[in-house]
Amino acid sequence: MRRHHHAVERTQGFGHARLVAEHPGQVRYVARQLPLPFHAKARLAAIAALAAGEQGKYWEMHDALLAHQDALDRAPPGATLELALGLYEGPFVLERPVTLHGAGAQTVLFGQVAEKLVVRVGAGASATFRSLTLQGGQVGVRLARGQTARFEDVTVRGQAEVGLDCVEQSRCELTRTVLQASFPRAVGLYLGPGATGTLNTVGSSGPFRRAIEADGAHLVARELRFRLLPPHP
């Protein structure tokens, strides 16, 4: 990967514009990319900002990334975050109970195929995903042990390994949710030992290895719809 060492000058925002304007030719405000190794999203955010910078949009991307991160990090327990139509690149880490409410299928939380997770629901962070699409990554959503996630009017597609990974002792509730396969070895919904899955009007399409895999789990299902497609060549 090409390394970027240049600094990007800012001419507005953060209140620094006034300082720069008051000292023309003497003060310059710059930002350098120093992604913290322990921060799950830092490296991808830095790459995205620099890529936008090459198109003259560094600060617009910078502000958008900080706004999304700030919203997740500062949301009080039980908060609902309204997401407009658009693409939101992960990985996202949820550390407290929260609802992510999209504006329909064109609100997309996505990850690159090489990215392990699109969303991780951490310990103590039950989550509700509503009216959106979860796309890409090796795994769409993975729950920490014993956590709960609800999916309402959600499309899950394009994961290389598992769409929704409900590990042992966790709980996944799916309502009007569609699982779409893009990789023939993938599993749409995995329920680990002791996990509980509640499915109400859930559909599946594509060449999954298994659309639903329950390993010593408790599964309650109502109105499942499967559409089988031939494996990819």
Side-chain angles (χ1 to χ4, degrees):
M1 179 181 294
R2 183 168 47 143
R3 294 182 179 273
H4 298 266
H5 296 288
H6 63 280
V8 184
E9 182 174 359
R10 180 165 195 142
T11 58
Q12 61 181 348
F14 278 114
H16 298 289
R18 183 169 59 86
L19 183 62
V20 173
E22 289 175 353
H23 302 275
Q26 297 178 296
V27 176
R28 183 176 58 155
Y29 175 61
V30 300
R32 297 183 184 275
Q33 307 306 307
L34 297 172
L36 301 174
F38 55 82
H39 196 302
K41 298 183 281 291
R43 183 171 176 274
L44 281 175
I47 292 171
L50 288 171
E54 293 180 351
Q55 303 172 58
K57 298 291 185 180
Y58 176 85
W59 289 110
E60 289 85 346
M61 176 63 78
H62 175 276
D63 292 349
L65 289 168
L66 286 182
H68 298 153
Q69 178 61 47
D70 185 65
L72 285 174
D73 290 345
R74 297 180 60 182
T80 295
L81 301 181
E82 301 286 345
L83 304 178
L85 299 177
L87 300 177
Y88 299 82
E89 184 168 5
F92 300 98
V93 180
L94 306 181
E95 301 290 357
R96 57 182 61 83
V98 67
T99 295
L100 300 181
H101 191 169
Q106 299 306 310
T107 298
V108 182
L109 308 183
F110 80 101
Q112 303 296 335
V113 174
E115 190 65 43
K116 184 61 178 176
L117 300 174
V118 179
V119 181
R120 179 172 69 84
V121 180
S126 61
T128 297
F129 301 85
R130 184 179 297 133
S131 299
L132 51 78
T133 295
L134 294 158
Q135 178 172 317
Q138 296 292 303
V139 178
V141 176
R142 174 170 290 157
L143 279 64
R145 179 186 175 95
Q147 301 312 304
T148 297
R150 298 175 178 84
F151 303 87
E152 302 171 5
D153 300 299
V154 170
T155 297
V156 183
R157 68 188 183 200
Q159 286 76 37
E161 294 181 5
V162 182
L164 305 177
D165 190 4
C166 303
V167 302
E168 59 271 14
Q169 306 300 321
S170 63
R171 181 180 184 90
C172 280
E173 301 177 4
L174 282 64
T175 302
R176 298 180 302 279
T177 292
V178 177
L179 309 172
Q180 295 181 350
S182 297
F183 295 88
R185 296 187 58 83
V187 173
L189 168 65
Y190 174 75
L191 297 167
T196 298
T198 302
L199 283 58
N200 187 4
T201 314
V202 173
S204 169
S205 66
F208 280 118
R209 178 169 61 87
R210 293 187 181 91
I212 300 173
E213 180 175 334
D215 180 13
H218 180 62
L219 178 63
V220 178
R222 176 182 178 184
E223 193 173 344
L224 301 182
R225 301 175 182 177
F226 296 94
R227 180 179 175 221
L228 301 179
L229 298 178
H232 295 299

